[in-house]
Structure formats: structure tokens, C-alpha cells
Amino acid sequence: MQNFLQSSLPPHNHVHRHHHPPPPPHNGKEKEASCTDASMRPSCFVCGHPGGRLYACMQCVWFGCVQHIEQHVMQSGHYLSFDVAHSAVYCWRCHDCVYDDVLEDVLQLSRGSKLIADQEWQPTQEQQKILDQHAAPNKPVATTLLGLRGLRNLGNTCYMNSVLQAFTHNPLLRNYFLSDQHNRSQCTRKACAACDFDYLFAEMFSGNNLPISPIKLLENMWANVTGLASYRQQDAHEFLISALGAIHAHTGTDRESLCECVVHKLYSGMLRSDLTCTRCGFTSATYEAFFDISLDVPKTSSLIGAPPPPSHPSQQPSHPNG
């Protein structure tokens, strides 16, 4: 950080002072034309896509999306970048936002004098009338309710819904899809399972509390795993493994031992088996990758924390066979 403040801050300050968006238009037509002109918006220097999360290198003039900013960091050694959407400085060496008084002064200067328009857009009377007619009431959504959304049963698909609810409430998997690590608007694959999960996460955390019908995701899983293509009840564990495999197929590599996709990072493990010779004492170890592992449940005579059985005969549970 000190090296950056000494060597790179003056040119960075110069760029933010003199390279800023043009002043806003003064009427609705010019505003509409300006908003639809892609040339006026910053875009990734590699793929040219203007949407999504963009980062600006703070040590040279370079814009990149989430997928390509890390390539620039590895090639140039410029670890500090500016998150355009959130106006924050991000360090790719420590993978966290960084704060410094000098940087905050530069950002405050940019926000106050250049990046904020001098003249705000004011609607005309006719435009204000249209806005009043079609404006929806502003109902803030409690952050504790985000992600709490039901899934409709599409014909004995409760096995799938239980796995999808577990997926959406995994914070690491949630952060992966909500941070544009896989963007369905930029994906070129056909029938991409990762795109369907990206849509599911976006809908689950949109703030809407109406139930969702994951029809497209179900069709995709039926196309990839023919054994699940029926309206009969299926095994939730089988769907879990199939879903992880589908996400890996569309986000990872063919070499599973070296794959660093989100599935292998979160759900894979390595099982070590030791075989020891009783005569010479030599031990050989074998390693096997796994997504799930079977564990024995030991038998016990009592359940810790379970309520005691009823003592009165009338309180005994009834059984179908008497």
C-alpha cells in the first residue's frame, strides 16, 4: 500500500480528475439516447462486455470484468483495483477491500466533483404523471428474509426442492453465483446447468416472497440424467450428486484431480486409506477423491436430548399393525 501511495497515486489521481463521464443530458430524449449508447459506458478490455461487475486497475488504465481482471493482475502485478459498482478499493493479493485515508480522500473527491452530475435530471409534468401512475410502493425487505422463498412441487419433486434449498443456503455457493462468477448473460453453452442455478440464486435472493417453479432446472437435469426423467419420487442423494456433476461439467475442467471449480472447492475431498503389513510394518497409502462418504451410525441404547418415552399406556403411540 505504501509503495502504491508513493508511486502510483499521483497518476491515479490525475486519471480520476480528468477522465470522467460527460455531463448529463437536459431532457428525457437525450437521456434515453445516452443510456442506450454502449460507447459511453466503460467495458472490459478483453471481452468488451459493459455489464456485470467491472474493475478499474489503479496502477494503469485498464478495465476488466470479474473473469479477466485476475488475468491482468497476474500478468502486470497490479494488485489494487477499483470496484466501479461499489466505489471500493479491492486488493487481489489479500482478497479483501482495503481502506486508507489518502485513498478515501481521492474517492471522496471523485464522488463529489466529477462522478456526480452537476445538474440532476428533473421530469416534466407529463413524465411525472406517468411515474406517479406506474410507480410501485417502496416496501423495504428485511435482510433476514432474503433467500427464504418456497419452491413449488412439480409432481413428486420434493427430493429436488430439499437439495435446492440446501444449495441456496450454502453461503459460499451463494456468494459464487451472486457475485457474477458465472454470468448466464455471457455464457454461450446450450442447456447450461450453471446458468439455471445462477437464475435460481438470483430469484431466491431478489426480495420476492412468492414461491418459485424451477421448471427449467428440472428439464435440464432430466436431459443430463435420464434416470431422473420421471414424475416418480427420486432419491435426494442421487439428485445431489447429479446436480454437483452438472455444475462441474459447465464450470470446471476435464481433469478432476486439478479442477478448481466451485464444486470441487466446496464439496470434494480426499479419502486416504492406509494398508499396513503385519510382518514388516510397511504402510502403503492410497488416495481417492470423493464428493460424498458413507459413515456408520453407531447403535445406542438412548438418544441424547430426546424426550423420555411416555409412561402412561394411554400416551403410547398407536401403530398401524396394533
Side-chain angles (χ1 to χ4, degrees):
M1 176 63 71
Q2 295 300 325
N3 294 334
F4 168 77
L5 295 176
Q6 296 175 2
S7 61
S8 302
L9 184 58
H12 165 74
N13 197 349
H14 175 79
V15 169
H16 274 269
R17 283 176 180 271
H18 300 283
H19 291 75
H20 53 85
H26 298 284
N27 56 62
K29 294 182 179 180
E30 294 180 4
K31 179 180 180 64
E32 182 179 359
S34 175
C35 292
T36 56
D37 187 1
S39 63
M40 304 300 292
R41 294 176 292 174
S43 59
C44 176
F45 280 13
V46 178
C47 62
H49 197 277
R53 294 281 292 277
L54 281 178
Y55 291 87
C57 180
M58 299 184 63
Q59 296 170 260
C60 68
V61 182
W62 202 94
F63 283 89
C65 61
V66 177
Q67 287 76 17
H68 297 120
I69 182 66
E70 293 193 58
Q71 298 179 7
H72 173 72
V73 171
M74 297 301 297
Q75 295 173 0
S76 62
H78 298 168
Y79 291 98
L80 291 177
S81 61
F82 181 74
D83 189 339
V84 178
H86 298 89
S87 298
V89 178
Y90 191 84
C91 177
W92 292 94
R93 174 174 290 178
C94 55
H95 294 282
D96 198 359
C97 293
V98 294
Y99 303 92
D100 184 85
D101 294 338
V102 178
L103 292 177
E104 287 298 320
D105 292 341
V106 175
L107 295 178
Q108 188 64 30
L109 177 64
S110 299
R111 298 187 190 105
S113 62
K114 295 298 182 182
L115 298 182
I116 295 181
D118 295 331
Q119 297 181 359
E120 296 183 358
W121 173 74
Q122 296 293 339
T124 63
Q125 294 183 354
E126 183 179 357
Q127 293 172 341
Q128 186 63 48
K129 184 178 179 180
I130 296 176
L131 290 175
D132 295 337
Q133 292 176 352
H134 298 280
N138 186 14
K139 297 181 179 180
V141 180
T143 56
T144 55
L145 299 180
L146 289 177
L148 299 181
R149 195 170 180 183
L151 298 172
R152 289 190 177 92
N153 194 326
L154 304 178
N156 292 328
T157 58
C158 53
Y159 68 95
M160 178 186 70
N161 293 347
S162 61
V163 175
L164 296 182
Q165 290 287 2
F167 278 160
T168 55
H169 290 86
N170 182 333
L172 299 177
L173 191 63
R174 174 201 64 198
N175 294 344
Y176 173 84
F177 282 105
L178 294 184
S179 61
D180 271 351
Q181 296 296 316
H182 183 89
N183 193 324
R184 63 183 182 277
S185 63
Q186 301 180 12
C187 183
T188 57
R189 293 177 178 268
K190 295 182 179 180
C192 177
C195 291
D196 294 335
F197 276 96
D198 181 57
Y199 175 79
L200 174 67
F201 275 88
E203 287 295 317
M204 290 291 288
F205 291 91
S206 63
N208 192 343
N209 58 0
L210 296 177
I212 306 174
S213 299
I215 300 177
K216 189 175 180 180
L217 193 148
L218 179 62
E219 293 178 351
N220 197 327
M221 293 302 301
W222 281 4
N224 286 277
V225 186
T226 56
L228 298 176
S230 69
Y231 288 101
R232 299 190 303 269
Q233 185 64 260
Q234 303 289 346
D235 182 64
H237 175 262
E238 181 181 355
F239 180 83
L240 169 66
I241 301 302
S242 301
L244 292 177
I247 298 176
H248 159 74
H250 296 148
T251 60
T253 60
D254 295 335
R255 303 178 62 182
E256 294 192 3
S257 59
L258 301 177
C259 183
E260 294 186 357
C261 70
V262 63
V263 172
H264 280 81
K265 287 183 177 179
L266 300 183
Y267 292 97
S268 68
M270 191 68 66
L271 179 64
R272 171 178 171 175
S273 301
D274 292 339
L275 182 62
T276 303
C277 179
T278 57
R279 177 173 299 179
C280 64
F282 175 77
T283 301
S284 62
T286 58
Y287 298 88
E288 182 181 1
F290 67 90
F291 280 120
D292 62 330
I293 185 171
S294 300
L295 299 177
D296 293 333
V297 178
K299 295 182 179 180
T300 178
S301 57
S302 62
L303 297 177
I304 301 176
S311 57
H312 196 275
S314 61
Q315 297 178 352
Q316 295 291 341
S318 59
H319 297 281
N321 296 329

